[in-house]
Amino acid sequence: MAALAASAAHVPPIKWAQRKDSLFLTIDVPDMANEKVDLTPAALSFQGETDDTTYAFTFDFHASVVPEESVWKVHGRNVLMHLKKAEVSDEHWPRLTKEKQFDKQYVATDWSRYVDEDDEDDDAGFDVGDLDGAANFGGGGYDGGGYEVDDEPDSDDDVDLTDLDFPPAGGEGVAEEPPQGEDDEATVAPPPVSASDPPVAEEPAATATSTDADETPAPATET
């Protein structure tokens, strides 16, 4: 398939960079709508619209890619694509497409992501932070390769709380009473006194009797 642009459509600016195992494409069109993207191992087709312009193109890659491991995401000012190469090679592709004229006219190097193939061993790879939540070309979210996936539960109802320890209700916690030994006697508090209960008469204090008092001998009288 030769690279082509529909006669009634414009070809948007395309920037690209590569690593040994992947490509990073940026299609610069702000406020894109009605995007249609078709990726095969051999070619990429794109179509989108703005308020007054229709954009479209189709081209063959210089070599094959893997659609199942490739993703794309629409941003406010551009469309980003991270495409996996079918073959990892120490030598970079000489250009993005098979058609030299298409490459020369519409494709530019993304210098912000460019790394020379001789320096790639010291490179950490593409920064794919802008592709978090990206869709793969088979539909749905991408679940690997450095892209984040939202695995958090939607509500507290989905959280297993069986292994969590909670303090007793009513405060930060209630101190446990120390265990009583078998020989320990529990102190019993006296029952509360009600106002309707009759008063309990107090027993009179015991008085000393003559028998209880100390006997003092009378003084002897002289005869």
Side-chain angles (χ1 to χ4, degrees), residues 13-18 22-28 37 39 43-46 57 59 61 65 70-73 75 78-85 93 95-97 102-103 107-110 113 126 130-131 137:
I14 304 169
K15 295 188 299 185
W16 80 301
Q18 64 177 314
S22 61
L23 312 171
F24 201 109
L25 272 62
T26 302
I27 301 173
D28 280 324
V37 182
L39 180 69
L44 173 66
S45 296
F46 173 86
F57 64 79
F59 65 74
F61 290 107
V65 298
S70 302
V71 297
W72 66 293
K73 184 175 182 179
H75 286 269
N78 49 42
V79 179
L80 304 180
M81 300 182 185
H82 186 230
L83 312 179
K84 288 289 187 178
K85 293 180 178 179
W93 293 3
R95 56 185 177 273
L96 176 62
T97 76
F102 184 90
D103 236 77
V107 181
T109 300
D110 187 348
R113 294 183 171 91
F126 286 121
D130 291 336
L131 286 167
F137 285 91

Side-chain angles (χ1 to χ4, degrees), residues 132-134 141-144 147-155:
D132 289 343
Y142 187 62
D143 60 358
Y147 307 102
E148 295 181 357
V149 176
D150 185 10
D151 288 332
E152 296 298 325
D154 294 334
S155 66

Side-chain angles (χ1 to χ4, degrees), residues 28-105:
D28 280 324
V29 178
D31 303 322
M32 180 74 71
N34 301 322
E35 306 88 0
K36 296 180 181 179
V37 182
D38 182 32
L39 180 69
T40 69
L44 173 66
S45 296
F46 173 86
Q47 181 176 336
E49 301 174 356
T50 60
D51 292 338
D52 54 0
T53 307
T54 299
Y55 295 92
F57 64 79
T58 299
F59 65 74
D60 288 335
F61 290 107
H62 175 77
S64 298
V65 298
V66 184
E68 296 79 11
E69 299 181 18
S70 302
V71 297
W72 66 293
K73 184 175 182 179
V74 179
H75 286 269
R77 297 190 59 83
N78 49 42
V79 179
L80 304 180
M81 300 182 185
H82 186 230
L83 312 179
K84 288 289 187 178
K85 293 180 178 179
E87 295 183 4
V88 178
S89 174
D90 291 337
E91 294 184 2
H92 282 184
W93 293 3
R95 56 185 177 273
L96 176 62
T97 76
K98 287 184 176 180
E99 299 295 326
K100 293 183 180 180
Q101 185 60 34
F102 184 90
D103 236 77
K104 182 178 179 180
Q105 187 171 353

